mmCIF file of all heavy atoms in Angstrom:
data_model
loop_
_atom_site.group_PDB
_atom_site.id
_atom_site.type_symbol
_atom_site.label_atom_id
_atom_site.label_comp_id
_atom_site.label_asym_id
_atom_site.label_seq_id
_atom_site.Cartn_x
_atom_site.Cartn_y
_atom_site.Cartn_z
ATOM 1 N N ILE A 269 -9.878 -8.134 10.951
ATOM 2 C CA ILE A 269 -9.356 -8.716 9.679
ATOM 3 C C ILE A 269 -9.614 -7.729 8.519
ATOM 4 O O ILE A 269 -8.825 -7.571 7.691
ATOM 5 C CB ILE A 269 -10.075 -10.015 9.464
ATOM 6 C CG1 ILE A 269 -9.686 -11.063 10.581
ATOM 7 C CG2 ILE A 269 -9.634 -10.649 8.122
ATOM 8 C CD1 ILE A 269 -10.490 -12.313 10.527
ATOM 9 N N GLY A 270 -10.791 -7.107 8.541
ATOM 10 C CA GLY A 270 -11.128 -6.261 7.428
ATOM 11 C C GLY A 270 -10.197 -5.032 7.375
ATOM 12 O O GLY A 270 -9.771 -4.574 6.376
ATOM 13 N N LEU A 271 -9.885 -4.526 8.574
ATOM 14 C CA LEU A 271 -8.964 -3.326 8.684
ATOM 15 C C LEU A 271 -7.569 -3.740 8.249
ATOM 16 O O LEU A 271 -6.902 -2.950 7.576
ATOM 17 C CB LEU A 271 -8.926 -2.785 10.114
ATOM 18 C CG LEU A 271 -10.221 -2.070 10.547
ATOM 19 C CD1 LEU A 271 -10.107 -1.714 12.049
ATOM 20 C CD2 LEU A 271 -10.505 -0.866 9.720
ATOM 21 N N VAL A 272 -7.156 -4.953 8.597
ATOM 22 C CA VAL A 272 -5.856 -5.403 8.140
ATOM 23 C C VAL A 272 -5.760 -5.503 6.629
ATOM 24 O O VAL A 272 -4.818 -5.077 6.009
ATOM 25 C CB VAL A 272 -5.476 -6.780 8.793
ATOM 26 C CG1 VAL A 272 -4.280 -7.405 8.103
ATOM 27 C CG2 VAL A 272 -5.288 -6.627 10.311
ATOM 28 N N TYR A 273 -6.863 -6.054 6.031
ATOM 29 C CA TYR A 273 -6.855 -6.161 4.572
ATOM 30 C C TYR A 273 -6.890 -4.778 3.921
ATOM 31 O O TYR A 273 -6.112 -4.500 2.973
ATOM 32 C CB TYR A 273 -8.108 -6.888 4.149
ATOM 33 C CG TYR A 273 -8.294 -6.917 2.614
ATOM 34 C CD1 TYR A 273 -7.555 -7.816 1.833
ATOM 35 C CD2 TYR A 273 -9.123 -6.024 1.961
ATOM 36 C CE1 TYR A 273 -7.690 -7.782 0.464
ATOM 37 C CE2 TYR A 273 -9.236 -5.946 0.611
ATOM 38 C CZ TYR A 273 -8.544 -6.900 -0.128
ATOM 39 O OH TYR A 273 -8.635 -6.898 -1.537
ATOM 40 N N ALA A 274 -7.731 -3.859 4.480
ATOM 41 C CA ALA A 274 -7.914 -2.511 3.832
ATOM 42 C C ALA A 274 -6.643 -1.699 4.011
ATOM 43 O O ALA A 274 -6.213 -0.993 3.069
ATOM 44 C CB ALA A 274 -9.111 -1.821 4.405
ATOM 45 N N LEU A 275 -6.079 -1.683 5.252
ATOM 46 C CA LEU A 275 -4.951 -0.751 5.522
ATOM 47 C C LEU A 275 -3.603 -1.338 5.300
ATOM 48 O O LEU A 275 -2.654 -0.633 4.949
ATOM 49 C CB LEU A 275 -5.111 -0.297 6.952
ATOM 50 C CG LEU A 275 -6.430 0.507 7.283
ATOM 51 C CD1 LEU A 275 -6.414 0.859 8.758
ATOM 52 C CD2 LEU A 275 -6.515 1.706 6.411
ATOM 53 N N VAL A 276 -3.431 -2.659 5.521
ATOM 54 C CA VAL A 276 -2.139 -3.303 5.375
ATOM 55 C C VAL A 276 -1.957 -3.892 3.984
ATOM 56 O O VAL A 276 -1.056 -3.597 3.254
ATOM 57 C CB VAL A 276 -1.922 -4.399 6.470
ATOM 58 C CG1 VAL A 276 -0.596 -5.073 6.266
ATOM 59 C CG2 VAL A 276 -1.993 -3.749 7.869
ATOM 60 N N TRP A 277 -2.908 -4.723 3.624
ATOM 61 C CA TRP A 277 -2.729 -5.417 2.292
ATOM 62 C C TRP A 277 -2.906 -4.471 1.150
ATOM 63 O O TRP A 277 -2.000 -4.321 0.327
ATOM 64 C CB TRP A 277 -3.726 -6.578 2.166
ATOM 65 C CG TRP A 277 -3.634 -7.265 0.835
ATOM 66 C CD1 TRP A 277 -4.349 -7.035 -0.274
ATOM 67 C CD2 TRP A 277 -2.661 -8.261 0.529
ATOM 68 N NE1 TRP A 277 -3.935 -7.865 -1.318
ATOM 69 C CE2 TRP A 277 -2.905 -8.650 -0.850
ATOM 70 C CE3 TRP A 277 -1.653 -8.924 1.201
ATOM 71 C CZ2 TRP A 277 -2.184 -9.585 -1.505
ATOM 72 C CZ3 TRP A 277 -0.904 -9.881 0.544
ATOM 73 C CH2 TRP A 277 -1.148 -10.175 -0.812
ATOM 74 N N GLU A 278 -4.028 -3.709 1.086
ATOM 75 C CA GLU A 278 -4.301 -2.841 -0.034
ATOM 76 C C GLU A 278 -3.473 -1.583 -0.027
ATOM 77 O O GLU A 278 -2.877 -1.161 -1.020
ATOM 78 C CB GLU A 278 -5.785 -2.573 -0.150
ATOM 79 C CG GLU A 278 -6.636 -3.761 -0.479
ATOM 80 C CD GLU A 278 -7.802 -3.380 -1.354
ATOM 81 O OE1 GLU A 278 -8.218 -2.231 -1.367
ATOM 82 O OE2 GLU A 278 -8.311 -4.298 -2.092
ATOM 83 N N ALA A 279 -3.463 -0.901 1.125
ATOM 84 C CA ALA A 279 -2.813 0.388 1.226
ATOM 85 C C ALA A 279 -1.254 0.269 1.289
ATOM 86 O O ALA A 279 -0.539 0.988 0.649
ATOM 87 C CB ALA A 279 -3.325 1.169 2.404
ATOM 88 N N LEU A 280 -0.765 -0.773 2.068
ATOM 89 C CA LEU A 280 0.678 -0.854 2.187
ATOM 90 C C LEU A 280 1.268 -1.825 1.161
ATOM 91 O O LEU A 280 2.075 -1.360 0.341
ATOM 92 C CB LEU A 280 0.999 -1.365 3.642
ATOM 93 C CG LEU A 280 2.491 -1.522 3.976
ATOM 94 C CD1 LEU A 280 3.174 -0.177 3.845
ATOM 95 C CD2 LEU A 280 2.636 -2.050 5.415
ATOM 96 N N PHE A 281 0.920 -3.092 1.243
ATOM 97 C CA PHE A 281 1.518 -4.070 0.263
ATOM 98 C C PHE A 281 1.111 -3.703 -1.127
ATOM 99 O O PHE A 281 1.885 -3.917 -2.079
ATOM 100 C CB PHE A 281 1.054 -5.460 0.635
ATOM 101 C CG PHE A 281 1.818 -6.060 1.765
ATOM 102 C CD1 PHE A 281 1.310 -5.956 3.062
ATOM 103 C CD2 PHE A 281 3.038 -6.697 1.660
ATOM 104 C CE1 PHE A 281 1.959 -6.487 4.181
ATOM 105 C CE2 PHE A 281 3.748 -7.205 2.677
ATOM 106 C CZ PHE A 281 3.217 -7.084 3.996
ATOM 107 N N GLY A 282 -0.073 -3.221 -1.312
ATOM 108 C CA GLY A 282 -0.532 -2.869 -2.684
ATOM 109 C C GLY A 282 0.254 -1.783 -3.316
ATOM 110 O O GLY A 282 0.353 -1.731 -4.539
ATOM 111 N N SER A 283 0.804 -0.918 -2.475
ATOM 112 C CA SER A 283 1.632 0.164 -3.026
ATOM 113 C C SER A 283 3.121 -0.172 -3.149
ATOM 114 O O SER A 283 3.833 0.483 -3.901
ATOM 115 C CB SER A 283 1.484 1.441 -2.149
ATOM 116 O OG SER A 283 1.973 1.136 -0.834
ATOM 117 N N LEU A 284 3.522 -1.216 -2.442
ATOM 118 C CA LEU A 284 4.917 -1.595 -2.440
ATOM 119 C C LEU A 284 5.264 -2.843 -3.221
ATOM 120 O O LEU A 284 6.353 -2.963 -3.794
ATOM 121 C CB LEU A 284 5.415 -1.750 -0.978
ATOM 122 C CG LEU A 284 5.296 -0.543 -0.075
ATOM 123 C CD1 LEU A 284 5.752 -0.877 1.321
ATOM 124 C CD2 LEU A 284 6.161 0.616 -0.644
ATOM 125 N N VAL A 285 4.382 -3.793 -3.243
ATOM 126 C CA VAL A 285 4.651 -5.081 -3.909
ATOM 127 C C VAL A 285 3.722 -5.195 -5.124
ATOM 128 O O VAL A 285 2.510 -5.312 -5.057
ATOM 129 C CB VAL A 285 4.290 -6.283 -2.904
ATOM 130 C CG1 VAL A 285 4.620 -7.608 -3.580
ATOM 131 C CG2 VAL A 285 5.053 -6.108 -1.618
ATOM 132 N N PRO A 286 4.340 -5.165 -6.324
ATOM 133 C CA PRO A 286 3.545 -5.202 -7.565
ATOM 134 C C PRO A 286 2.618 -6.410 -7.612
ATOM 135 O O PRO A 286 1.481 -6.289 -8.074
ATOM 136 C CB PRO A 286 4.594 -5.263 -8.659
ATOM 137 C CG PRO A 286 5.799 -4.582 -7.992
ATOM 138 C CD PRO A 286 5.789 -4.970 -6.593
ATOM 139 N N GLY A 287 3.099 -7.590 -7.275
ATOM 140 C CA GLY A 287 2.253 -8.810 -7.357
ATOM 141 C C GLY A 287 0.992 -8.709 -6.484
ATOM 142 O O GLY A 287 -0.006 -9.327 -6.839
ATOM 143 N N ALA A 288 1.079 -8.029 -5.350
ATOM 144 C CA ALA A 288 -0.038 -7.951 -4.481
ATOM 145 C C ALA A 288 -1.202 -7.167 -5.090
ATOM 146 O O ALA A 288 -2.413 -7.316 -4.693
ATOM 147 C CB ALA A 288 0.350 -7.342 -3.098
ATOM 148 N N ARG A 289 -0.889 -6.300 -6.000
ATOM 149 C CA ARG A 289 -1.929 -5.431 -6.547
ATOM 150 C C ARG A 289 -2.962 -6.273 -7.359
ATOM 151 O O ARG A 289 -4.095 -5.805 -7.554
ATOM 152 C CB ARG A 289 -1.277 -4.366 -7.458
ATOM 153 C CG ARG A 289 -0.371 -3.443 -6.677
ATOM 154 C CD ARG A 289 0.434 -2.550 -7.575
ATOM 155 N NE ARG A 289 1.474 -1.841 -6.866
ATOM 156 C CZ ARG A 289 2.511 -1.216 -7.439
ATOM 157 N NH1 ARG A 289 2.624 -1.224 -8.767
ATOM 158 N NH2 ARG A 289 3.400 -0.581 -6.688
ATOM 159 N N THR A 290 -2.515 -7.379 -7.910
ATOM 160 C CA THR A 290 -3.458 -8.158 -8.690
ATOM 161 C C THR A 290 -4.585 -8.726 -7.838
ATOM 162 O O THR A 290 -5.711 -8.903 -8.338
ATOM 163 C CB THR A 290 -2.688 -9.363 -9.333
ATOM 164 O OG1 THR A 290 -1.610 -8.911 -10.068
ATOM 165 C CG2 THR A 290 -3.606 -10.216 -10.233
ATOM 166 N N LEU A 291 -4.351 -8.907 -6.528
ATOM 167 C CA LEU A 291 -5.367 -9.415 -5.585
ATOM 168 C C LEU A 291 -5.921 -8.252 -4.774
ATOM 169 O O LEU A 291 -6.103 -8.394 -3.500
ATOM 170 C CB LEU A 291 -4.753 -10.502 -4.678
ATOM 171 C CG LEU A 291 -4.166 -11.710 -5.406
ATOM 172 C CD1 LEU A 291 -3.596 -12.664 -4.402
ATOM 173 C CD2 LEU A 291 -5.306 -12.395 -6.254
ATOM 174 N N SER A 292 -6.194 -7.143 -5.400
ATOM 175 C CA SER A 292 -6.651 -5.939 -4.708
ATOM 176 C C SER A 292 -7.944 -5.451 -5.317
ATOM 177 O O SER A 292 -8.018 -5.148 -6.537
ATOM 178 C CB SER A 292 -5.606 -4.867 -4.772
ATOM 179 O OG SER A 292 -6.093 -3.613 -4.398
ATOM 180 N N VAL A 293 -8.985 -5.370 -4.523
ATOM 181 C CA VAL A 293 -10.267 -4.812 -5.014
ATOM 182 C C VAL A 293 -10.049 -3.421 -5.482
ATOM 183 O O VAL A 293 -10.669 -2.940 -6.486
ATOM 184 C CB VAL A 293 -11.324 -4.878 -3.882
ATOM 185 C CG1 VAL A 293 -12.596 -4.149 -4.332
ATOM 186 C CG2 VAL A 293 -11.620 -6.305 -3.477
ATOM 187 N N GLN A 294 -9.178 -2.683 -4.854
ATOM 188 C CA GLN A 294 -8.833 -1.293 -5.271
ATOM 189 C C GLN A 294 -8.416 -1.276 -6.707
ATOM 190 O O GLN A 294 -8.867 -0.458 -7.491
ATOM 191 C CB GLN A 294 -7.813 -0.709 -4.318
ATOM 192 C CG GLN A 294 -7.358 0.669 -4.750
ATOM 193 C CD GLN A 294 -6.104 1.130 -3.918
ATOM 194 O OE1 GLN A 294 -5.953 0.670 -2.800
ATOM 195 N NE2 GLN A 294 -5.369 1.988 -4.470
#
Side-chain angles (χ1 to χ4, degrees):
I269 298 173
L271 290 175
V272 169
Y273 174 81
L275 299 179
V276 178
W277 179 263
E278 293 216 336
L280 181 60
F281 282 94
S283 62
L284 298 177
V285 183
R289 297 171 190 166
T290 305
L291 301 177
S292 167
V293 175
Q294 175 188 335

